[in-house]
Tab-separated table of all heavy atoms in Angstrom:
chain	number	residue	atom	x	y	z
A	86	GLY	N	44.638	120.655	48.680
A	86	GLY	CA	45.522	121.230	49.693
A	86	GLY	C	46.977	121.199	49.255
A	86	GLY	O	47.709	122.187	49.420
A	87	GLU	N	47.434	120.077	48.693
A	87	GLU	CA	48.819	119.974	48.218
A	87	GLU	C	49.079	120.941	47.065
A	87	GLU	O	50.100	121.630	47.031
A	87	GLU	CB	49.127	118.537	47.788
A	87	GLU	CG	49.359	117.588	48.932
A	87	GLU	CD	50.586	117.953	49.756
A	87	GLU	OE1	51.703	117.934	49.218
A	87	GLU	OE2	50.416	118.284	50.943
A	88	ALA	N	48.155	120.986	46.109
A	88	ALA	CA	48.330	121.894	44.971
A	88	ALA	C	48.343	123.349	45.430
A	88	ALA	O	49.155	124.152	44.955
A	88	ALA	CB	47.211	121.662	43.953
A	89	THR	N	47.474	123.681	46.362
A	89	THR	CA	47.404	125.055	46.864
A	89	THR	C	48.683	125.429	47.601
A	89	THR	O	49.222	126.534	47.418
A	89	THR	CB	46.195	125.228	47.792
A	89	THR	OG1	45.004	124.901	47.078
A	89	THR	CG2	46.099	126.650	48.322
A	90	GLY	N	49.178	124.538	48.439
A	90	GLY	CA	50.395	124.833	49.187
A	90	GLY	C	51.589	125.069	48.276
A	90	GLY	O	52.345	126.033	48.453
A	91	VAL	N	51.782	124.191	47.283
A	91	VAL	CA	52.896	124.370	46.352
A	91	VAL	C	52.707	125.643	45.544
A	91	VAL	O	53.657	126.389	45.294
A	91	VAL	CB	53.029	123.142	45.430
A	91	VAL	CG1	54.117	123.371	44.386
A	91	VAL	CG2	53.352	121.898	46.241
A	92	PHE	N	51.474	125.897	45.128
A	92	PHE	CA	51.187	127.131	44.383
A	92	PHE	C	51.613	128.359	45.185
A	92	PHE	O	52.262	129.264	44.653
A	92	PHE	CB	49.699	127.211	44.058
A	92	PHE	CG	49.284	128.530	43.452
A	92	PHE	CD1	49.330	128.712	42.080
A	92	PHE	CD2	48.873	129.587	44.251
A	92	PHE	CE1	48.980	129.931	41.515
A	92	PHE	CE2	48.510	130.806	43.693
A	92	PHE	CZ	48.568	130.975	42.320
A	93	LEU	N	51.270	128.389	46.453
A	93	LEU	CA	51.542	129.572	47.266
A	93	LEU	C	53.028	129.855	47.374
A	93	LEU	O	53.480	130.996	47.222
A	93	LEU	CB	50.928	129.391	48.654
A	93	LEU	CG	49.404	129.432	48.727
A	93	LEU	CD1	48.928	128.988	50.102
A	93	LEU	CD2	48.882	130.827	48.405
A	94	TYR	N	53.821	128.826	47.625
A	94	TYR	CA	55.233	129.100	47.848
A	94	TYR	C	55.987	129.296	46.530
A	94	TYR	O	56.914	130.119	46.443
A	94	TYR	CB	55.847	128.019	48.744
A	94	TYR	CG	56.754	127.005	48.108
A	94	TYR	CD1	58.059	127.319	47.769
A	94	TYR	CD2	56.323	125.693	47.903
A	94	TYR	CE1	58.905	126.377	47.218
A	94	TYR	CE2	57.158	124.748	47.362
A	94	TYR	CZ	58.458	125.095	47.010
A	94	TYR	OH	59.292	124.160	46.471
A	95	VAL	N	55.584	128.583	45.477
A	95	VAL	CA	56.237	128.774	44.179
A	95	VAL	C	55.857	130.124	43.581
A	95	VAL	O	56.698	130.827	43.016
A	95	VAL	CB	55.865	127.621	43.217
A	95	VAL	CG1	56.420	127.883	41.819
A	95	VAL	CG2	56.416	126.298	43.749
A	96	PHE	N	54.609	130.517	43.711
A	96	PHE	CA	54.160	131.813	43.210
A	96	PHE	C	54.935	132.947	43.879
A	96	PHE	O	55.398	133.881	43.215
A	96	PHE	CB	52.658	131.966	43.460
A	96	PHE	CG	52.081	133.269	43.010
A	96	PHE	CD1	51.953	133.559	41.663
A	96	PHE	CD2	51.664	134.216	43.934
A	96	PHE	CE1	51.424	134.771	41.242
A	96	PHE	CE2	51.121	135.420	43.529
A	96	PHE	CZ	51.005	135.700	42.171
A	97	SER	N	55.096	132.872	45.190
A	97	SER	CA	55.842	133.902	45.910
A	97	SER	C	57.293	133.960	45.455
A	97	SER	O	57.844	135.040	45.203
A	97	SER	CB	55.784	133.631	47.417
A	97	SER	OG	54.461	133.565	47.875
A	98	GLY	N	57.927	132.796	45.347
A	98	GLY	CA	59.337	132.760	44.978
A	98	GLY	C	59.592	133.179	43.546
A	98	GLY	O	60.504	133.968	43.264
A	99	LEU	N	58.794	132.648	42.606
A	99	LEU	CA	59.016	132.965	41.196
A	99	LEU	C	58.761	134.443	40.900
A	99	LEU	O	59.408	135.030	40.031
A	99	LEU	CB	58.120	132.101	40.306
A	99	LEU	CG	58.425	130.605	40.256
A	99	LEU	CD1	57.595	129.936	39.179
A	99	LEU	CD2	59.903	130.332	40.035
A	100	ALA	N	57.808	135.043	41.605
A	100	ALA	CA	57.561	136.468	41.402
A	100	ALA	C	58.803	137.285	41.760
A	100	ALA	O	59.155	138.244	41.058
A	100	ALA	CB	56.361	136.914	42.238
A	101	SER	N	59.484	136.906	42.837
A	101	SER	CA	60.703	137.608	43.223
A	101	SER	C	61.819	137.359	42.217
A	101	SER	O	62.582	138.279	41.883
A	101	SER	CB	61.143	137.162	44.623
A	101	SER	OG	62.232	137.916	45.088
A	102	VAL	N	61.919	136.127	41.710
A	102	VAL	CA	62.921	135.822	40.686
A	102	VAL	C	62.650	136.625	39.417
A	102	VAL	O	63.572	137.151	38.778
A	102	VAL	CB	62.933	134.311	40.365
A	102	VAL	CG1	63.901	134.014	39.223
A	102	VAL	CG2	63.322	133.506	41.590
A	103	ALA	N	61.370	136.715	39.039
A	103	ALA	CA	61.013	137.473	37.839
A	103	ALA	C	61.409	138.937	37.971
A	103	ALA	O	61.939	139.548	37.021
A	103	ALA	CB	59.510	137.356	37.583
A	104	ALA	N	61.177	139.522	39.129
A	104	ALA	CA	61.565	140.911	39.346
A	104	ALA	C	63.076	141.086	39.245
A	104	ALA	O	63.574	142.072	38.691
A	104	ALA	CB	61.069	141.381	40.713
A	105	PHE	N	63.804	140.109	39.756
A	105	PHE	CA	65.266	140.183	39.751
A	105	PHE	C	65.827	140.056	38.332
A	105	PHE	O	66.672	140.860	37.908
A	105	PHE	CB	65.828	139.079	40.641
A	105	PHE	CG	67.327	139.053	40.730
A	105	PHE	CD1	68.012	140.082	41.332
A	105	PHE	CD2	68.047	137.987	40.216
A	105	PHE	CE1	69.400	140.065	41.423
A	105	PHE	CE2	69.431	137.956	40.305
A	105	PHE	CZ	70.109	139.000	40.908
A	106	ILE	N	65.352	139.065	37.582
A	106	ILE	CA	65.923	138.792	36.257
A	106	ILE	C	65.503	139.838	35.231
A	106	ILE	O	66.325	140.341	34.463
A	106	ILE	CB	65.538	137.375	35.791
A	106	ILE	CG1	66.310	136.339	36.615
A	106	ILE	CG2	65.835	137.187	34.308
A	106	ILE	CD1	66.081	134.903	36.207
A	107	THR	N	64.235	140.198	35.205
A	107	THR	CA	63.781	141.137	34.181
A	107	THR	C	64.337	142.540	34.388
A	107	THR	O	64.385	143.335	33.442
A	107	THR	CB	62.240	141.214	34.145
A	107	THR	OG1	61.741	141.581	35.448
A	107	THR	CG2	61.644	139.892	33.726
A	108	ASN	N	64.764	142.843	35.601
A	108	ASN	CA	65.358	144.151	35.877
A	108	ASN	C	66.870	144.051	36.095
A	108	ASN	O	67.478	144.953	36.651
A	108	ASN	CB	64.706	144.781	37.101
A	108	ASN	CG	63.254	145.129	36.863
A	108	ASN	OD1	62.931	146.087	36.177
A	108	ASN	ND2	62.352	144.323	37.417
A	109	GLY	N	67.453	142.940	35.650
A	109	GLY	CA	68.870	142.706	35.896
A	109	GLY	C	69.790	143.744	35.284
A	109	GLY	O	70.874	144.007	35.804
A	110	ALA	N	69.370	144.344	34.177
A	110	ALA	CA	70.223	145.337	33.517
A	110	ALA	C	69.818	146.766	33.851
A	110	ALA	O	70.337	147.715	33.272
A	110	ALA	CB	70.168	145.133	32.003
A	111	SER	N	68.901	146.901	34.792
A	111	SER	CA	68.400	148.235	35.120
A	111	SER	C	69.462	149.068	35.832
A	111	SER	O	70.204	148.573	36.670
A	111	SER	CB	67.153	148.118	36.007
A	111	SER	OG	66.728	149.376	36.439
A	112	LYS	N	69.515	150.339	35.467
A	112	LYS	CA	70.459	151.264	36.101
A	112	LYS	C	69.740	152.262	37.001
A	112	LYS	O	70.235	152.673	38.029
A	112	LYS	CB	71.262	152.022	35.039
A	112	LYS	CG	72.053	151.111	34.107
A	112	LYS	CD	73.096	150.314	34.853
A	112	LYS	CE	73.930	149.463	33.902
A	112	LYS	NZ	74.897	148.611	34.605
A	113	GLU	N	68.585	152.687	36.585
A	113	GLU	CA	67.805	153.682	37.332
A	113	GLU	C	66.398	153.169	37.572
A	113	GLU	O	65.586	153.135	36.644
A	113	GLU	CB	67.760	154.999	36.554
A	113	GLU	CG	69.090	155.694	36.416
A	113	GLU	CD	69.633	156.212	37.736
A	113	GLU	OE1	68.826	156.388	38.686
A	113	GLU	OE2	70.837	156.419	37.845
A	114	PRO	N	65.998	152.767	38.755
A	114	PRO	CA	66.865	152.534	39.917
A	114	PRO	C	67.688	151.272	39.718
A	114	PRO	O	67.408	150.493	38.822
A	114	PRO	CB	65.852	152.364	41.058
A	114	PRO	CG	64.650	151.805	40.387
A	114	PRO	CD	64.590	152.453	39.038
A	115	PRO	N	68.715	151.047	40.527
A	115	PRO	CA	69.539	149.850	40.373
A	115	PRO	C	68.746	148.578	40.629
A	115	PRO	O	67.683	148.615	41.236
A	115	PRO	CB	70.640	150.036	41.437
A	115	PRO	CG	70.033	150.971	42.429
A	115	PRO	CD	69.131	151.882	41.644
A	116	VAL	N	69.286	147.449	40.170
A	116	VAL	CA	68.568	146.181	40.280
A	116	VAL	C	68.228	145.833	41.725
A	116	VAL	O	67.209	145.193	42.000
A	116	VAL	CB	69.396	145.056	39.620
A	116	VAL	CG1	70.696	144.836	40.378
A	116	VAL	CG2	68.593	143.771	39.566
A	117	THR	N	69.063	146.249	42.660
A	117	THR	CA	68.798	145.930	44.060
A	117	THR	C	67.514	146.551	44.570
A	117	THR	O	66.989	146.138	45.600
A	117	THR	CB	69.969	146.386	44.953
A	117	THR	OG1	70.268	147.754	44.658
A	117	THR	CG2	71.211	145.541	44.686
A	118	ALA	N	67.006	147.546	43.850
A	118	ALA	CA	65.731	148.130	44.252
A	118	ALA	C	64.573	147.191	43.929
A	118	ALA	O	63.508	147.281	44.517
A	118	ALA	CB	65.515	149.464	43.547
Side-chain angles (χ1 to χ4, degrees):
E87 283 296 297
T89 302
V91 176
F92 172 89
L93 290 170
Y94 106 77
V95 174
F96 179 71
S97 303
L99 292 189
S101 186
V102 176
F105 180 66
I106 288 183
T107 57
N108 293 286
S111 174
K112 301 297 183 184
E113 294 293 339
V116 65
T117 51

